Amino acid sequence: MTEVPFPDARVHFGVFFQGVNHSTVWSDPSSGSQIDFETFRRVATTAERGLFDAFFLGEGLRLREQDGQLLDTDIAGRPDAIAQLVALAGLTDRIGLVATQNTTYNEPADLARRLSGLDLLSEGRAGWNVVTTDNAWTGENFRRGGFLDHAHRYERATEFLTTAREIWDSWSDRAIAPSRRSSSWLTPGAVRTIERDTDHFQVAITPTLPRSPQGHPVIFQAGVSSQGRDFAAAHAEVIFSPFGTNFEPAREFADDIRTRLVAAGRPADDIRILPGTQIVLAERESEVEEKKRWVLEQQITGATALSLVGQVWGRDLSHLDPDGPLPAEDPEQSVISGTRGAQRDGQDRVAIAGQWRELAESRGLSLRQVAIETTARFGFAGTPGQVADELTRWVRHGASDGFNITPYLVPTGLDDIVDWLIPELQERGSYPTEYTGTTLREHLRLRPPLTRR
């Protein structure tokens, strides 16, 4: 019998409302607005009905471009994450609320206060996905336009997070008067002034807010480079990854993170590993492939395929037939711009074109089919029972602690997961039947913040 290393493990779910991408099907008649608040409310409350741990938002500081033009085939633009989540805090009771905010273009005194405000108003349900923003193109929107290289961004992020934690720890546990009969509302000497003078920050602040019931916002991180993994092992409490489709790469990543945690002096289970994924469900096994194909073809339309291949070729290909072959001419020798996103930032056009030609020739694929094969991050597809079996296998064999799900439709994309999949997981004992805590830290079964142990 195969040993099950984590026989009692349960699946943790988050929902990633991406807002900027071509994987959310915006053109289907059942698709709602990508920006109206009602869409965010519907997704967040459905996730809460399904006992999800967290509702997660990205950042997006600049509209994506391709060859100097706004990328008009994709969904673009989204409200500020903290503003959205504060509004959702008043309409939800339990689900965690996670904002992506970068450390390159923010300042720690300001961002720590805004996150602390979200944490207090939600009564301990805030999370912060710490990102460093990986391109100079985004930086052109700011006065420091793209001046930090990869190593220095993580150096700044470490100083930023250290400062934010000092700010969150600046109020003593007994700072506020315990009763109305106390002589003063704020205990004298209970708030400490924070001063830092480093290469990145000059801060002198007497923080304005106490801690929430969970102590600090839960720290998320998404980097998979060696530096990103080390940063997560040293500082994060949840890590996202792109390994949400195939079991073995996911387990190798999880094992690597656990090894790095121990090397950093932390317990091997001190972080929750939640790869991003997509889940496609069909009631009957005979319907699975048809549903999966429908999703892929809606996500990568002919226009989107021409745009994706045009990114590699470095020119407008909209005059071509997406169901025809790849362009006959090679692209010019240069690297791909990161203005569309990080997936192919800095890669060699000619090398990718060569790989795609080999793929097309060996499998007889059209331009659009090549785009589907080379860009889709599929995730899981099956009947509710089949997917429940697979997700349970992942968490009980150490490949992840759960998943951060991107619905392919909003606002209805979680309905099948909540109504069909979660009961199957609960029957297997691999999913909770109720919220047992009130804070995000409790939902994720995390220890106290690193500076408060």
Side-chain angles (χ1 to χ4, degrees):
M1 179 179 293
T2 303
E3 181 181 357
V4 179
F6 306 100
D8 300 320
R10 291 185 171 186
V11 176
H12 292 270
F13 275 156
V15 55
F16 181 11
F17 190 110
Q18 286 211 357
V20 175
N21 63 86
H22 62 259
S23 60
T24 307
V25 179
W26 58 266
S27 56
D28 187 78
S30 64
S31 180
S33 166
Q34 306 294 320
I35 293 178
D36 287 354
F37 182 70
E38 172 56 22
T39 299
F40 306 135
R41 186 203 64 78
R42 171 72 189 280
V43 174
T45 56
T46 301
E48 188 169 64
R49 179 166 65 85
L51 307 176
F52 278 42
D53 292 335
F55 177 85
F56 175 85
L57 291 170
E59 189 176 43
L61 297 173
R62 182 169 173 168
L63 296 181
R64 292 183 179 184
E65 298 175 9
Q66 183 160 308
D67 302 324
Q69 302 295 317
L70 290 181
L71 191 57
D72 56 9
T73 55
D74 281 14
I75 298 166
R78 47 192 165 192
D80 173 71
I82 292 179
Q84 289 184 59
L85 296 176
V86 168
L88 289 169
L91 299 174
T92 55
D93 295 317
R94 295 296 183 92
I95 192 167
L97 303 165
V98 184
T100 298
Q101 299 283 303
N102 79 78
T103 56
T104 301
Y105 305 117
N106 280 301
E107 292 293 331
D110 172 59
L111 183 57
R113 183 176 187 277
R114 289 189 286 131
L115 289 164
S116 186
L118 173 63
D119 209 20
L120 278 169
L121 292 171
S122 65
E123 299 181 300
R125 293 187 283 139
W128 173 21
N129 180 35
V130 181
V131 296
T132 59
T133 303
D134 59 359
N135 57 70
W137 163 75
T138 299
E140 291 173 1
N141 270 11
F142 300 89
R143 65 183 186 276
R144 299 189 191 89
F147 77 104
L148 289 176
D149 63 24
H150 191 79
H152 285 156
R153 288 202 314 273
Y154 278 105
E155 179 183 290
R156 179 181 168 96
T158 298
E159 287 190 16
F160 196 117
L161 185 53
T162 300
T163 305
R165 282 174 162 148
E166 287 186 8
I167 291 171
W168 294 332
D169 285 337
S170 63
W171 284 50
S172 77
D173 291 332
R174 292 178 291 279
I176 298 174
S179 80
R180 291 180 176 80
R181 293 189 295 276
S182 299
S183 60
S184 60
W185 186 82
L186 189 63
T187 303
V191 180
R192 183 166 53 93
T193 295
I194 305 301
E195 295 185 0
R196 290 184 69 82
D197 187 358
T198 70
D199 290 342
H200 292 287
F201 303 113
Q202 289 78 48
V203 176
I205 181 175
T206 303
T208 58
L209 292 171
R211 282 182 295 281
S212 79
Q214 67 172 351
H216 293 177
V218 174
I219 302 301
F220 289 63
Q221 206 268 336
V224 295
S225 67
S226 181
Q227 281 182 306
R229 296 183 193 205
D230 283 340
F231 181 84
H235 303 290
E237 295 166 298
V238 179
I239 185 167
F240 296 143
S241 82
F243 305 111
T245 298
N246 299 309
F247 180 86
E248 282 304 330
R251 185 161 64 179
E252 290 171 6
F253 176 80
D255 287 344
D256 180 64
I257 292 298
R258 294 183 189 109
T259 300
R260 290 175 194 250
L261 278 169
V262 173
R266 299 173 61 187
D269 64 350
D270 211 29
I271 200 167
R272 297 290 168 265
I273 300 168
L274 304 180
T277 198
Q278 172 184 269
I279 294 176
V280 175
L281 298 174
E283 284 189 278
R284 300 175 185 81
E285 189 169 356
S286 60
E287 299 168 348
V288 172
E289 282 306 312
E290 181 182 357
K291 184 81 171 287
K292 181 178 173 182
R293 175 53 54 183
W294 180 87
V295 172
L296 281 172
E297 291 183 349
Q298 294 297 311
Q299 290 174 325
I300 303 183
T301 63
T304 297
L306 289 168
S307 173
L308 288 167
V309 176
Q311 182 194 19
V312 173
W313 259 256
R315 56 178 178 266
D316 181 12
L317 300 178
S318 59
H319 59 288
L320 296 181
D321 177 4
D323 296 317
L326 290 168
E329 310 82 15
D330 282 335
E332 294 183 5
Q333 185 72 56
S334 61
V335 297
I336 298 172
S337 164
T339 58
R340 183 173 182 144
Q343 184 180 12
R344 297 194 175 91
D345 183 13
Q347 295 185 29
D348 186 305
R349 298 180 191 279
V350 175
I352 294 178
Q355 294 166 9
W356 286 12
R357 285 187 196 287
E358 289 182 12
L359 176 66
E361 290 171 4
S362 64
R363 295 176 54 184
L365 302 180
S366 68
L367 180 152
R368 184 183 181 192
Q369 290 169 323
V370 169
I372 289 174
E373 292 293 327
T374 56
T375 62
R377 283 192 312 166
F378 197 79
F380 301 90
T383 65
Q386 289 172 329
V387 175
D389 284 340
E390 186 63 1
L391 301 190
T392 300
R393 183 174 80 95
W394 276 53
V395 300
R396 293 188 170 172
H397 287 81
S400 75
D401 295 298
F403 303 88
N404 199 28
I405 300 168
T406 296
Y408 56 84
L409 276 176
V410 296
T412 59
L414 291 183
D415 292 358
D416 292 351
I417 292 170
V418 171
D419 295 332
W420 296 353
L421 176 60
I422 286 176
E424 292 281 352
L425 289 167
Q426 289 169 332
E427 283 187 13
R428 289 157 177 77
S430 57
Y431 198 82
T433 55
E434 61 181 355
Y435 285 114
T436 56
T438 61
T439 70
L440 176 57
R441 190 172 296 277
E442 289 171 329
H443 300 339
L444 291 163
R445 301 185 179 188
L446 292 168
R447 296 180 176 87
L450 285 170
T451 58
R452 301 190 62 77
R453 297 181 183 176

